[in-house]
Amino acid sequence: SAVISQKPSRDICQRGTSLTIQCQVDSQVTMMFWYRQQPGQSLTLIATANQGSEATYESGFVIDKFPISRPNLTFSTLTVSNMSPEDSSIYLCSGRQGWETQYFGPGTRLLVL
Amino acid sequence: AQSVTQLGSHVSVSEGALVLLRCNYSSSVPPYLFWYVQYPNQGLQLLLKYTSAATLVKGINGFEAEFKKSETSFHLTKPSAHMSDAAEYFCAVSDRGFGNEKLTFGTGTRLTIIP
């Protein structure tokens, strides 16, 4: 199994600012993902973080708003840029080991005022 | 694209009673199926997974799920509910493949345990 940690665990930010969330996995994973979970809702995939190259974004998410880096097999960052109150969500990092098993971090709870 | 439907956004059971959370998938080819649990203010924890071995899958905390191809279902059960089982439960699905398939989540079921 993999243990995933995220920093910060929560933050309150002002409109128009940016926040970078860090994700660290304690062992190598084949793939890393970033999800958003809006209040009371299910998880929506933002993007797949690709090592050493540009992330692959899902429909409705763009690199300018959610730039992602993955410099190695166990670390990734997600930046939420030019934030608005609509960006208030839980952001979850996830890593896949083997063919199919995905593990999740504890999430970063973001409130934008 | 794969999808899962979770029937019942809220389920309440008495402590000690059977827990049954429903999940149906949409695919003619058996996919990979998962159940995750999310406790308040925490991330998701993998409860169990179905990847083509035994159709009855046992997970952590006394939960199990049975894959039924004829019903395209993967319902989660636990014989006797504990207060600590109160949480949000998500069913998820992905295609079989080479490890780069996306995981799609259901809308979740909030389980409440009545003392």
Side-chain angles (χ1 to χ4, degrees):
Chain A
S1 65
V3 177
I4 301 178
S5 58
Q6 289 182 231
K7 287 194 288 188
S9 59
R10 60 179 66 239
D11 208 341
I12 301 173
C13 300
Q14 295 298 318
R15 181 194 301 258
T17 63
S18 298
L19 176 71
T20 295
I21 302 168
Q22 297 180 4
C23 174
Q24 179 72 55
V25 190
D26 71 342
S27 56
Q28 288 187 3
V29 290
T30 52
M31 301 183 75
M32 294 183 75
F33 306 89
W34 287 96
Y35 289 81
R36 182 173 72 182
Q37 185 179 24
Q38 294 183 302
Q41 298 193 24
S42 187
L43 282 76
T44 301
L45 180 63
I46 297 172
T48 302
N50 300 311
Q51 185 194 358
S53 64
E54 190 173 292
T56 304
Y57 290 84
E58 297 301 303
S59 175
F61 298 96
V62 295
I63 188 171
D64 290 345
K65 176 67 176 178
F66 298 102
I68 289 170
S69 77
R70 186 184 176 191
N72 57 52
L73 289 173
T74 61
F75 185 79
S76 178
T77 65
L78 167 74
T79 299
V80 186
S81 302
N82 188 24
M83 288 184 285
S84 67
E86 293 70 35
D87 295 319
S88 298
S89 284
I90 302 171
Y91 292 86
L92 293 123
C93 175
S94 178
R96 180 175 293 177
Q97 285 190 331
W99 292 109
E100 77 290 330
T101 303
Q102 268 184 241
Y103 300 95
F104 285 81
T108 295
R109 285 154 181 77
L110 172 62
L111 177 63
V112 183
L113 301 176
Chain B
Q2 291 281 7
S3 67
V4 286
T5 301
Q6 292 185 242
L7 293 176
S9 58
H10 291 84
V11 171
S12 295
V13 301
S14 298
E15 190 175 15
L18 171 71
V19 175
L20 171 61
L21 305 181
R22 300 178 186 274
C23 173
N24 288 88
Y25 65 91
S26 65
S27 173
S28 58
V29 178
Y32 293 144
L33 291 158
F34 308 83
W35 276 99
Y36 286 86
V37 60
Q38 185 177 35
Y39 296 103
N41 298 313
Q42 295 187 30
L44 272 71
Q45 182 179 5
L46 180 64
L47 271 178
L48 50 79
K49 63 181 179 181
Y50 168 75
T51 58
S52 82
T55 56
L56 181 62
V57 181
K58 294 186 183 299
I60 62 172
N61 302 338
F63 284 94
E64 61 182 38
E66 185 171 10
F67 172 75
K68 291 188 177 180
K69 183 179 178 181
S70 61
E71 299 177 7
T72 61
S73 69
F74 190 58
H75 301 332
L76 182 70
T77 61
K78 181 173 180 178
S80 177
H82 294 174
M83 294 301 295
S84 59
D85 294 328
E88 186 91 21
Y89 291 80
F90 293 96
C91 182
V93 63
S94 73
D95 287 319
R96 296 172 176 274
F98 301 98
N100 59 349
E101 292 67 32
K102 299 170 191 174
L103 198 60
T104 301
F105 285 85
T107 51
T109 298
R110 182 169 299 278
L111 177 64
T112 299
I113 310 298
I114 303 167

